[in-house]
Amino acid sequence: MGSHPLPEPVTPAGREGLAALLARPQRAVVALDFDGTLAEIVPDPERARAHPGAVPVLSRLAPRLASVAVITGRPAGVAVRYGGFAGVAGLEHLVVLGHYGAERWDAVSGTVSSPAPHPGVAAARAELPGVLAKSGAWPATWAESSPIENKGGQAVAVHTRRAPDPQAAFHALREPLAELAARHGLIVEPGRLVLELRPPGMDKGVALAEYVREVGAECVLYAGDDLGDLAAFGAVEALRGEGVRGVLVCSGSPEVAELAARADVVVDGPGGVVRLLGAVADAVGGGAGG
């Protein structure tokens, strides 16, 4: 296949960021959300897998950059497995920041470092079936399987995508899940038909800013698709104020219009992200076009 043209960012800051990335890729970080950005959103989160073009294009691009990082709400090890990132030539220095940065997997060592499980997560998980049943949202509205996604000791999520009326279920559960989270020292992170209960104090913005500073990058491109990515967008905007160039990419979805409104570039889902990364790889000399 031939290469795809680079899109033109719609803002001056985005154009400056892209120009900086292309001029000095070795001083740039490309950071990417997983679900909805590198992988399509699917009804069963355990069946999510990276777009077939994602790993090949990242393996072309990563050697030209200071770093590539995947920042996700999933456990780091799960994102590595579902992404197929381990043992890939060109991705020897990939970093996956899981649980919004609370966990870290480094390709160099192949190991995950993580904090001790938060006790509130286990307590909330134990109460969730009763809370959902009391709300009338479970089990009757999920005929195929439980809506609860366990995310290790750092988070637990409730998905409404398979409910008969996903949006109504999402709104109906926000208040009872917020009350459950508050009882156990947690916060609720809303997403695309998912409500995640997790400890406070860490988000994708904190994780991204800390990682950019760790690497000493002069430029960062961040791509995301969901409400949880707004914090990362905010971090890029703050880093711009410190002299770090930035490009904000929205993996487009009508479900999260706010993200698209703040983006410098909007692409058509994970396929569009792969094409964008391929165009960047071509522009910085990252091997054959995909």
Side-chain angles (χ1 to χ4, degrees):
M1 292 177 63
S3 61
H4 296 275
L6 274 168
E8 177 79 5
V10 298
T11 66
R15 291 191 288 273
E16 289 177 6
L18 183 58
L21 190 161
L22 299 180
R24 299 189 68 187
Q26 72 278 10
R27 303 297 298 167
V29 166
V30 168
L32 307 150
D33 169 49
F34 186 73
D35 292 281
T37 301
L38 288 178
E40 296 286 354
I41 296 291
V42 293
D44 183 351
E46 294 185 2
R47 295 183 179 273
R49 296 295 183 272
H51 185 283
V55 168
V57 76
L58 287 174
S59 68
R60 289 203 294 121
L61 179 59
R64 302 285 176 168
L65 302 173
S67 182
V68 171
V70 176
I71 306 179
T72 174
R74 286 186 183 270
V78 171
V80 172
R81 292 196 304 273
Y82 291 2
F85 300 133
V88 177
L91 298 184
E92 293 88 355
H93 299 283
L94 179 75
V95 169
V96 176
L97 303 175
H99 284 313
Y100 301 89
E103 288 188 345
R104 176 167 173 160
W105 176 87
D106 287 271
V108 170
S109 63
T111 60
V112 174
S113 58
S114 60
H118 190 289
V121 173
R125 184 187 298 118
E127 288 188 40
L128 261 177
V131 172
L132 297 182
K134 185 176 180 181
S135 73
W138 185 71
T141 55
W142 277 270
E144 296 180 10
S145 64
S146 168
I148 301 171
E149 179 192 4
N150 292 319
K151 294 190 167 190
Q154 298 300 325
V156 62
V158 177
H159 294 260
T160 67
R161 193 169 294 273
R162 283 181 290 186
D165 188 337
Q167 200 67 51
F170 178 86
H171 288 299
L173 288 172
R174 292 194 70 158
E175 184 174 346
L177 291 186
E179 293 173 355
L180 173 64
R183 286 200 300 275
H184 297 291
L186 306 175
I187 61 170
V188 175
E189 180 79 43
R192 291 170 62 180
L193 300 177
V194 59
L195 294 158
E196 182 169 297
L197 286 70
R198 61 179 177 83
M202 200 62 171
D203 60 36
K204 290 182 181 180
V206 173
L208 178 61
E210 289 182 352
Y211 188 68
V212 168
R213 294 188 181 104
E214 174 189 328
V215 172
E218 298 174 355
C219 174
V220 55
L221 180 151
Y222 183 82
D225 76 302
D226 207 344
L227 292 172
D229 297 301
L230 288 171
F233 272 33
V236 172
E237 291 162 350
L239 286 165
R240 284 170 172 168
E242 300 174 15
V244 177
R245 306 298 186 186
V247 186
L248 298 171
V249 178
C250 173
S251 176
S253 165
E255 294 175 4
V256 190
E258 185 178 352
L259 204 71
R262 288 175 61 178
D264 302 309
V265 176
V266 178
V267 298
D268 185 17
V273 171
V274 167
R275 288 188 291 274
L276 170 63
L277 296 176
V280 172
D282 292 343
V284 299

